[in-house]
Structures are given as structure tokens and as C-alpha cells.
Amino acid sequence: MFKKILIANRGEIAVRIIRACREMGIQTVAVYSEIDKEALHTQLADEAICIGPAQVKSSYLNMESIINATLVTKAEAIHPGFGFLSENSKFAKMCQQCQITFIGPSAEIIDKMGNKAEARKTMLEVGVPIIPGSKEPITKAEEGLDIAKEIGYPVIIKASAGGGGKGMRIVYDDAEFINNFNMAQNETMNAFNDNEMYIEKYLVNPRHIEFQILADEYGNVIHLGERDCSIQRRHQKLIEESPSVVIDEPLRKKMGEAATLAAHAVKYTNAGTIEFLLDKDKNFYFIEMNTRIQVEHPVSEMVTGIDLIKEQINIAYGNELKVKQKDVIISGYAIECRINAEDPENNFRPSPGRIENLHLPGGNGIRVDSALFCGYNIPPTYDSMLAKLIVYGKNRDEAIKKLRSALGEFVVQGVKTNIDFQYSIINHPKFLEGDVDTHFVQEYIYK
Ligand code: ADP
């Protein structure tokens, strides 16, 4: 096994990875920006190296600096976590050239699935259902308009390089199309320095259902069932559950097979997620693959008992997957709530600052993944996610009761958080019934 791993990330995911390494007897190296000198990941790792100033491009996105830190500390592998360099094929290639193991798929696979228009093409070729829309990437608004006319409105304009909901626009008729296309393309240029777009039919009130995949270097691919991530605000996930109340065993099998087929199609390795939208008639369509560990991975861990970070490390080391599909048993019910430092009363503006007082909930079936501590100064520079509250019960009803209790107990003073907002979601009758779709928050909680 690896003796030492460098974690090219910060916040709760860096802490999560350090913990997994520690359990595996692997030494850890944290990297931190100047503003993160006191951060928990910096303190918890066996070694810590400053990689630059606070701005991400100078630190957590600074490839040379991170590679240097790895070479200097003689770490054999890099775990990129999520965000930052996790889906950057150039970085994966640099690691390979420096004989450092990148804990994730190869640069080629990242490229193949990272371009969303390309990924749609690949799925079409192998027979994984995709949403009707463009077959090739589009750079001219007029070409997009022709496709929109053909598939019928509403349509969604999306960025090939997209992520985090950026570069997406919903359009309801011809008159709005060109203008919206240009706006989405501008946003895409600004965010990703890329101008390739694609068009999909806009599904009305779908659910977001994704499958967790694990694939080793010997062609073994398994899935760990689904996560229902329909509770979103502005296309960003807020609450994730596993399993989904709308997926029965035959549908799980069918979607799981499509997900493993998708992974096989690109000879995928390591952990990944195949995202689908599910319409009211239970038709499912591929939307994208994420070639990294995801924020919401703990809900799959809770219901399967499989530690995804440890599996990632094992796979990257070249070990064969020990778990076979028949051994994956989904039992109980898990729900995750993302706790963000943001102000729901002020349009969810980030709320950085010092944590003056903190109480994390605990008890049977309660897990908190966070990098918080009392006195911690949340910098304004990074993502506003502070913690993930994950609950596990024997069924959804029990999990919700635990979530209600745990959210009620959760105290973060000094900054504004979305804890009360999350509380209002999980107490809404429609949420309690499990009768939700991706528009639930917008329709019932926050216009
Ligand atoms: P990103 O990578 O930017 O997060 P995704 O393609 O994963 O973008 O889509 C994010 C969310 O946007 C989905 O979970 C869903 O709520 C919404 N969405 C995306 N495509 C469609 C579509 N064709 N129809 C309806 N909703 C969509």
C-alpha cells in the first residue's frame, strides 16, 4: 500500500481523506494556502506545506506548486478530493509524468467524460438513454435555434465544459433563444474559457437520480445504488438521500446496468458518478458523469457499508475490487444536508467570519463531516459549505426524525447559515411524503 498520500484540497473533504488514510496506516501531507494556515486539514495531517496565497489560482489550483510539494515530501499519490483539480486532465497527466499516482481516472477518461457534449455522444453510441437534443457541440446561436425548433420547447442550453450550474439557460420560445444562447455562451467563456454549447429538451419536474460507480483496473465495475438529489436550489444540490423512494428493485437494476455500461464504455477506473434525470413516467436519461468523489458520497457509504475513499485509494494502488455486485446490499436509509455559511434572508449571500460558538449534533446514526472548530475563521475566498450532516436510520421516516433532531441541535454562531432553511425543507409535507422534484425548493420553499 502507499506509505504517504498528499491531499490536494481543503475543508471537510480534505479532513475526510486524512481520516481514511489514518485508518489505513497511510501518512498524510496537507497543502494549504496562506489563509488556511490554521485550517483543520492543515492541523490534522502528518505534514503540511504552504502552496501559495489565498486565491485559488495561486494555491489550490497551482499545479506546479502541488506537484513540488508532493515531490519534496516524497508522497507517492495525490488525492484531489472534489472541485479544484479533481477533474483537470492536465493535472492528472502531470502527475503521471512525475510518477505520482493520481487517485482518480486517467487524463484520457477525464477528457472523454468531462466534455459533456462528447459524453452524450459516447452514451448514444453504447445505448445509454440521453435527453433528446444536439448530437454535436454547438458554437453558433443559429445552429442551436434549429435544434430547439426540431426538439420543441422548453429547451435548456448547456455548456460542454459546464459544472456547478454555470452556463445553463432555459428557453421557452424562439424569440428568447438567440439572446439566451449568447448569454449562456458568455458565461461559459468567463467560467471555463470555452465556447462549446449543447442543447437538451428541458424536462419538466424531473428527479435527479445518480448512481455511484466503483471500477478497478481489471475491468470490474460495480454500482452502489442510487442517490436522489432532487432537492436543489438553482441547480445546486442541498439534500441527498439514498435509496430513492421512487426507485424499486427492477428500476434500480435497469438504471444500475445503464450506469455500469456507461463506465465500461470508457474503460472507467476509480470512483465515479453517473447522473440521470428521471421523468414522471420513470424514463431515465443520462445527463453527465462526474469523474471524482462527490460531496454526497457519504449517503452511499451509510447504506452500503463501503468506505468510498478507502476504495478509491485501493483501486489507485492497483488492487482488485474485493466487493462484487452481488455483495452490494442496500440497507436502511441515509440523508445528507449541506450546511452552508450563507444568508437565506439576503439571497444566500456567503457569510464568512469567525465561528464564535459551535455545537455539532451527535448520537446514534448521526455523522457530521466538517472542518469546523470553535474560533475558526471562515475565509471569504472559498466555497461556503461548512459541514455535511448525514443521518442514518432503518427507514426514511426514522432518518427524517433523526435529521430533525440533529438540525435542531446544530449550533453555529458567528456566521449566518442555512440550518433553519434546511429545517423548513425537511418539515414540509411534500418532502415528508417524498413527493419532490428538482423544482421543489423553488416552488414551495423559496421563490
Ligand atoms: P452541472 O454539471 O452544471 O451541475 P448538470 O447537467 O449536472 O449541470 O445539471 C444540474 C441540474 O440542472 C440537474 O440536476 C437538473 O436539476 C437541472 N437540469 C439539467 N439538465 C436538465 C434538463 N435537460 N431538463 C431539466 N432539468 C435539467
Side-chain angles (χ1 to χ4, degrees):
M1 185 33 72
F2 299 118
K3 292 194 174 53
K4 201 190 265 188
I5 292 177
L6 180 137
I7 295 120
N9 215 302
R10 64 181 302 284
E12 67 82 22
I13 192 64
V15 171
R16 164 79 186 87
I17 298 163
I18 292 169
R19 287 176 177 150
C21 289
R22 188 158 291 161
E23 286 175 40
M24 293 173 86
I26 301 168
Q27 296 275 304
T28 52
V29 183
V31 292
Y32 64 95
S33 69
E34 282 163 9
I35 209 170
D36 271 347
K37 195 163 185 286
E38 309 295 333
L40 192 62
H41 77 286
T42 313
Q43 298 188 50
L44 279 187
D46 297 305
E47 291 169 69
I49 292 209
C50 183
I51 47 165
Q55 298 89 328
V56 289
K57 71 172 190 329
S58 314
S59 51
Y60 298 104
L61 291 178
N62 184 339
M63 301 189 224
E64 286 79 14
S65 203
I66 292 171
I67 295 276
N68 281 338
T70 314
L71 297 173
V72 164
T73 54
K74 298 197 169 56
E76 303 144 89
I78 295 181
H79 197 308
F82 48 67
F84 297 131
L85 297 169
S86 60
E87 293 183 285
N88 186 314
S89 60
K90 195 171 157 211
F91 182 64
K93 193 167 247 155
M94 264 172 89
C95 288
Q96 196 189 0
Q97 282 160 352
C98 298
Q99 278 152 1
I100 298 164
T101 304
F102 175 81
I103 302 178
S106 67
E108 294 70 34
I109 296 174
I110 297 176
D111 274 339
K112 210 164 168 133
M113 293 313 257
N115 182 310
K116 292 164 74 170
E118 280 299 321
R120 271 170 64 82
K121 254 168 88 176
T122 311
M123 293 305 117
L124 190 64
E125 276 160 29
V126 296
V128 173
I130 58 169
I131 301 176
S134 51
K135 300 205 168 55
E136 300 288 335
I138 293 167
T139 50
K140 297 204 172 54
E142 292 71 24
E143 289 172 57
L145 181 59
D146 288 344
I147 288 163
K149 281 183 170 149
E150 201 183 305
I151 58 176
Y153 291 94
V155 301
I156 182 165
I157 302 166
K158 297 169 89 172
S160 291
K166 290 200 186 85
M168 294 206 296
R169 279 278 189 303
I170 301 152
V171 184
Y172 293 90
D173 58 45
D174 281 353
E176 298 171 9
F177 189 90
I178 301 279
N179 199 11
N180 273 286
F181 186 96
N182 291 334
M183 285 196 298
Q185 200 174 31
N186 273 339
E187 207 174 298
T188 307
M189 273 309 286
N190 289 336
F192 311 106
N193 195 23
D194 191 86
N195 69 350
E196 271 188 24
M197 312 299 291
Y198 65 105
I199 316 287
E200 277 176 1
K201 177 96 186 160
Y202 184 65
L203 301 185
V204 180
N205 304 108
R207 291 181 85 116
H208 175 117
I209 306 285
E210 57 184 37
F211 274 71
Q212 176 67 52
I213 293 290
L214 280 175
D216 67 17
E217 290 169 3
Y218 311 95
N220 301 305
V221 180
I222 60 168
H223 72 80
L224 270 53
E226 76 280 2
R227 295 186 285 257
D228 190 326
C229 314
S230 300
I231 304 292
Q232 307 179 347
R233 197 183 78 85
R234 299 206 170 153
H235 308 303
Q236 294 295 303
K237 298 161 189 166
L238 278 172
I239 295 179
E240 300 96 346
E241 314 184 22
S242 185
S244 167
V245 292
V246 294
I247 309 281
D248 56 15
E249 204 43 49
L251 184 56
R252 178 169 303 119
K253 190 161 183 289
K254 210 166 141 195
M255 292 181 79
E257 278 168 8
T260 45
L261 178 66
H264 275 299
V266 291
K267 297 198 168 55
Y268 194 77
T269 56
N270 217 284
T273 298
I274 311 284
E275 296 191 339
F276 297 107
L277 292 182
L278 182 75
D279 70 15
K280 290 271 186 263
D281 301 323
K282 305 265 177 99
N283 299 306
F284 62 90
Y285 307 91
F286 169 88
I287 46 170
E288 68 163 336
M289 176 168 201
N290 289 315
T291 58
R292 53 169 161 82
I293 194 73
Q294 281 189 268
V295 173
E296 59 272 25
H297 75 274
V299 292
S300 301
E301 296 185 321
M302 304 305 272
V303 297
T304 60
I306 294 171
D307 186 311
L308 281 161
I309 304 290
K310 288 185 189 167
E311 291 301 329
Q312 283 195 291
I313 295 171
N314 273 318
I315 292 168
Y317 187 69
N319 290 341
E320 200 172 333
L321 267 176
K322 286 209 182 80
V323 193
K324 303 273 173 264
Q325 190 65 58
K326 65 172 176 33
D327 306 325
V328 179
I329 294 167
I330 315 277
S331 83
Y333 205 93
I335 310 179
E336 173 183 281
C337 260
R338 300 189 187 195
I339 309 299
N340 300 330
E342 59 190 20
D343 185 0
E345 270 153 36
N346 191 358
N347 203 22
F348 294 85
R349 283 246 309 262
S351 176
R354 195 180 126 91
I355 307 284
E356 302 293 353
N357 191 14
L358 178 72
H359 170 74
L360 299 180
N364 187 7
I366 310 293
R367 164 177 170 184
V368 181
D369 280 18
S370 92
L372 287 178
F373 56 88
C374 205
Y376 175 54
N377 227 323
I378 302 163
T381 330
Y382 309 110
D383 192 83
S384 60
M385 193 176 73
L386 290 181
K388 303 185 308 204
L389 168 61
I390 306 118
V391 296
Y392 177 73
K394 56 181 181 297
N395 52 40
R396 188 169 188 266
D397 188 43
E398 191 184 78
I400 291 175
K401 287 187 177 127
K402 283 178 191 282
L403 191 52
R404 189 179 292 136
S405 162
L407 277 174
E409 208 186 298
F410 213 130
V411 178
V412 182
Q413 282 172 349
V415 298
K416 297 265 184 358
T417 75
N418 66 343
I419 294 174
D420 290 348
F421 186 73
Q422 290 285 31
Y423 198 81
S424 62
I425 294 177
I426 66 141
N427 284 303
H428 192 280
K430 287 233 169 243
F431 178 83
L432 296 173
E433 280 166 36
D435 180 16
V436 298
D437 56 48
T438 55
H439 295 116
F440 168 79
V441 172
Q442 193 189 338
E443 258 170 58
Y444 296 101
I445 308 287
Y446 183 88
K447 301 261 181 287

